[in-house]
Amino acid sequence: MKAITLTLHTQQPILATSFQGDPNSDVSYSYIPGSMIRGAIIGRYMKQHHLSELDLTNDEVKRLFFDANSTRYLNAYLLSEEKKRTLPLPLSWFKDKDDELNDNSSITVYDFSIDRGDNPETPKSLGEYFWANKGGVVNLYKDKRRINIHNFRDRQKGRSTDNQGELFRYDALDAGQTFQSVILCEDGDAIAIQMLLVTEPNIWFGGSQSAGYGHTKIIYLEILDRWDEIGIPAEDRENDENLSITLLSDTLLRNEGGQHIADPMLIKQAVEEVLNISFPETSNIFAGSTLIGGFNRKWGLPLPQLPALAAGSVMVFEGIEMNESQIKQLEAYGIGERREDGFGRLAVNWLQDEEFTVSLPSSSTSSLPPLTEGSHLLAEQMAQRLLEQKLEQYLKKNVGYFRLDEGISNSQLSRLQSVARQGLPNGDCSLVISLLNNLPSNAKSQFDRTKIGDKSFRQQLDEWLSNPTDWINGIEVRIANIDRKFDDDRAREDKLAEKYTLRLIMAVAKKATKEKK
């Protein structure tokens, strides 16, 4: 197969809407999805052939746009300093929770899929980044965002009315960033796709294109006879003692009942079906889940929301080897559904180092002009509100993961909520700690025997209260030159982590009470 590398430079913000945010906001993915690139090229194909709609019975149309075994449009990820396509961060990478990554220092990162040693003592995930290797050092890249506030307006009157004046927010990929996608196609189709791309360098992606979003330029295009997504030849990765599989994009898989679920064990089944071999049980899993949707311009309707395994998920198998041809076959075609849109990409035996150095690239330093005193104050207020909003969303998401087994009475749950509520205004966790340390024997036994996951409720409460930041991962925002994190100096001063930990305890207790009813 041929590979067409497509380098894109954003001229306007891009709104590639994901399922983050509240109902009055649209939050973009941190990359340009392959489905958007495929849709834009379909639009050019229809214009070039003077078509009002595609003929889905046409062999060329099916092969170019709808057959995942013939053509695949991979996600456009950020381009690194070395002009290489970055890749999502593996979920098996952890740092010490006290290590802070900034422009002037590097940190040590540990890959738990290779070895779970004694270091770090208090591990914490790195957050959402893309990465590329530069001279043995891992450079982390993060997309830049632009937040714009809009209001609904009457299309005929051209202004907002009493019924259409609501405010909403777009959190989009900012202009001035460079991304790279790859289109994998059959040898005979490479020139046809190239001609669709070179006729006009300006191309539009995403939503709200009439409102100043989506304009992108194709700044470089190249057809390659050989291309490897991770830059390591398959012959250098065959027959390892342990087999690791890392997802390079979100992956849609169905269970035996035909339902889409985000179960990492389905990766094992999918790989077995592709290669017609049998795998042992996995020895290590680091997986995440997400929701996948989209918009169908033909229908004028959103696509169904489907659960998927998140990019960066890692599975490890012991005592099984894979040869060069099997690795090439698996990595070339991927697994799961919607592979033509870049889903289901993976790498075999990619991660090899137990620990390594991670830093930010030199170009990550902000070049924005300094803010005036008034603008700086406004940016700080916006960053604070956005940080609290992200923490609110993260709290709601995590409450759904916790379920209490029966064994604790509603009166004890109500008492726990009441004491947590008393400590909430000042982020005072000591009130709940005092309650737990002075429980009567009957109440204490209820907290001890009630399970939440694989721990007792008392044990989980002690962990949350003693280390309020441990359950929160990667919450950070940037407004102009203002960077805010959930555990920065101001957040510690405001006791944000403590306040949201108390709210988590209240929410878990309230949920358990409702489930009993």
Side-chain angles (χ1 to χ4, degrees):
M1 299 187 77
K2 298 280 189 183
I4 304 173
T5 59
L6 187 64
T7 305
L8 305 165
H9 192 264
T10 57
Q11 307 297 302
Q12 294 176 337
I14 294 180
L15 194 62
T17 307
S18 64
F19 288 107
Q20 304 175 57
D22 57 51
N24 290 325
S25 68
D26 282 343
V27 181
S28 179
Y29 287 111
S30 54
Y31 55 88
I32 304 174
S35 57
M36 284 189 175
I37 297 170
R38 181 171 69 102
I41 296 176
I42 287 175
R44 289 195 170 187
Y45 180 89
M46 294 174 65
K47 183 177 180 180
Q48 187 180 92
H49 291 80
H50 308 288
L51 300 174
S52 59
E53 61 180 43
L54 288 177
D55 179 9
L56 300 183
T57 62
N58 182 286
D59 288 338
E60 182 184 54
V61 169
K62 289 191 290 185
R63 193 176 64 252
L64 289 179
F65 305 121
F66 299 102
D67 184 0
N69 292 324
S70 299
T71 311
R72 296 177 287 284
Y73 299 82
L74 308 193
N75 297 332
Y77 295 140
L78 287 167
L79 198 67
S80 72
E81 287 181 329
E82 294 73 40
K83 308 303 178 188
K84 296 180 180 178
R85 178 173 174 259
T86 60
L87 292 168
L89 208 67
L91 299 181
S92 59
W93 288 5
F94 291 85
K95 68 178 181 70
D96 190 282
K97 75 167 189 175
D98 295 327
D99 288 345
E100 291 293 337
L101 186 64
N102 55 54
D103 296 330
N104 302 317
S105 65
S106 58
I107 63 173
T108 301
V109 169
Y110 305 84
D111 189 345
F112 285 3
S113 70
I114 305 297
D115 179 52
R116 178 61 174 102
D118 296 332
N119 292 321
E121 293 182 0
T122 53
K124 191 164 194 169
S125 66
L126 271 72
E128 294 184 5
Y129 287 95
F130 294 91
W131 75 283
N133 200 309
K134 181 183 178 182
V137 176
V138 171
N139 277 351
L140 300 187
Y141 295 83
K142 199 171 188 66
D143 58 298
K144 297 176 183 177
R145 319 289 289 196
R146 180 179 297 185
I147 298 175
N148 290 327
I149 307 298
H150 301 271
N151 69 303
F152 288 105
R153 58 181 181 148
D154 187 284
R155 290 185 179 273
Q156 294 180 341
K157 295 181 179 180
R159 59 179 174 81
S160 61
T161 64
D162 292 339
N163 297 325
Q164 290 183 318
E166 300 93 342
L167 291 176
F168 62 97
R169 187 187 70 181
Y170 283 163
D171 185 346
L173 288 172
D174 201 1
Q177 301 182 88
T178 305
F179 297 81
Q180 188 175 86
S181 172
V182 178
I183 303 171
L184 303 176
C185 61
E186 295 181 354
D187 294 356
D189 293 328
I191 298 301
I193 295 175
Q194 182 188 33
M195 294 309 297
L196 291 172
L197 294 168
V198 300
T199 53
E200 170 59 52
N202 295 298
I203 192 167
W204 273 260
F205 298 117
S208 296
Q209 294 177 10
S210 61
Y213 291 85
H215 182 200
T216 306
K217 273 192 175 180
I218 301 172
I219 59 174
Y220 187 73
L221 185 148
E222 184 180 10
I223 298 179
L224 303 174
D225 293 326
R226 296 185 63 185
W227 176 79
D228 192 289
E229 192 160 7
I230 61 175
I232 305 173
E235 56 265 26
D236 295 341
R237 295 179 280 126
E238 64 176 344
N239 299 327
D240 281 6
E241 293 181 2
N242 295 333
L243 176 72
S244 68
I245 294 175
T246 307
L247 298 185
L248 305 181
S249 66
D250 296 336
T251 301
L252 287 163
L253 297 168
R254 293 180 187 263
N255 63 8
E256 294 179 353
Q259 294 179 319
H260 289 96
I261 60 171
D263 181 358
M265 295 310 298
L266 293 179
I267 299 175
K268 172 178 176 288
Q269 297 178 20
V271 173
E272 288 176 336
E273 291 175 5
V274 171
L275 300 179
N276 196 26
I277 59 176
S278 180
F279 276 30
E281 291 301 315
T282 180
S283 61
N284 239 334
I285 299 177
F286 303 88
S289 62
T290 185
L291 282 176
I292 297 298
F295 190 84
N296 189 305
R297 291 186 180 275
K298 171 68 175 176
W299 301 342
L301 293 170
L303 296 175
Q305 299 182 24
L306 301 173
L309 287 162
S313 298
V314 180
M315 293 189 75
V316 181
F317 302 89
E318 293 182 354
I320 185 169
E321 298 178 352
M322 194 177 289
N323 60 40
E324 179 184 348
S325 63
Q326 290 173 323
I327 293 174
K328 286 183 176 179
Q329 178 187 354
L330 191 60
E331 293 181 344
Y333 290 94
I335 58 174
E337 298 184 359
R338 291 182 62 183
R339 292 181 293 116
E340 67 276 11
D341 288 333
F343 290 92
R345 305 298 302 168
L346 53 81
V348 177
N349 294 339
W350 179 30
L351 310 173
Q352 302 291 335
D353 298 324
E354 296 179 11
E355 62 179 79
F356 42 89
T357 302
V358 165
S359 64
L360 296 175
S362 56
S363 60
S364 66
T365 303
S366 174
S367 59
L368 294 173
L371 298 174
T372 64
E373 184 177 351
S375 298
H376 190 275
L377 180 61
L378 179 61
E380 282 188 336
Q381 292 173 349
M382 292 175 65
Q384 177 71 12
R385 290 175 183 173
L386 187 57
L387 180 66
E388 291 177 0
Q389 186 181 63
K390 284 197 171 186
L391 284 166
E392 186 76 24
Q393 295 164 6
Y394 191 80
L395 170 66
K396 291 178 180 178
K397 178 181 177 182
N398 275 270
V399 168
Y401 298 150
F402 297 114
R403 181 184 178 88
L404 291 179
D405 292 342
E406 293 187 9
I408 187 168
S409 66
N410 283 350
S411 61
Q412 294 301 329
L413 292 172
S414 177
R415 187 182 180 195
L416 178 63
Q417 290 183 68
S418 177
V419 174
R421 192 177 295 110
Q422 292 175 30
L424 186 58
N426 299 317
D428 187 3
C429 293
S430 63
L431 294 178
V432 180
I433 295 174
S434 177
L435 167 70
L436 296 175
N437 289 337
N438 295 283
L439 288 171
S441 58
N442 181 44
K444 182 178 182 298
S445 66
Q446 292 185 43
F447 279 89
D448 288 337
R449 69 170 179 262
T450 301
K451 293 291 185 180
I452 179 169
D454 58 350
K455 302 175 182 178
S456 72
F457 190 29
R458 173 62 189 269
Q459 182 184 357
Q460 183 64 79
L461 289 172
D462 287 341
E463 290 181 8
W464 284 339
L465 293 166
S466 58
N467 297 292
T469 59
D470 281 3
W471 67 278
I472 307 172
N473 279 323
I475 305 297
E476 55 187 64
V477 298
R478 182 180 180 86
I479 301 290
N481 290 326
I482 307 297
D483 288 307
R484 289 298 314 278
K485 295 183 179 180
F486 73 94
D487 57 353
D488 61 18
D489 290 340
R490 181 173 173 185
R492 285 194 289 269
E493 183 180 339
D494 294 341
K495 292 192 172 182
L496 272 185
E498 287 82 355
K499 290 177 181 178
Y500 278 90
T501 298
L502 291 172
R503 291 190 57 193
L504 174 67
I505 292 171
M506 292 166 60
V508 169
K510 185 176 181 180
K511 178 187 173 189
T513 304
K514 285 187 174 181
E515 287 175 347
K516 286 188 176 185
K517 294 179 180 178

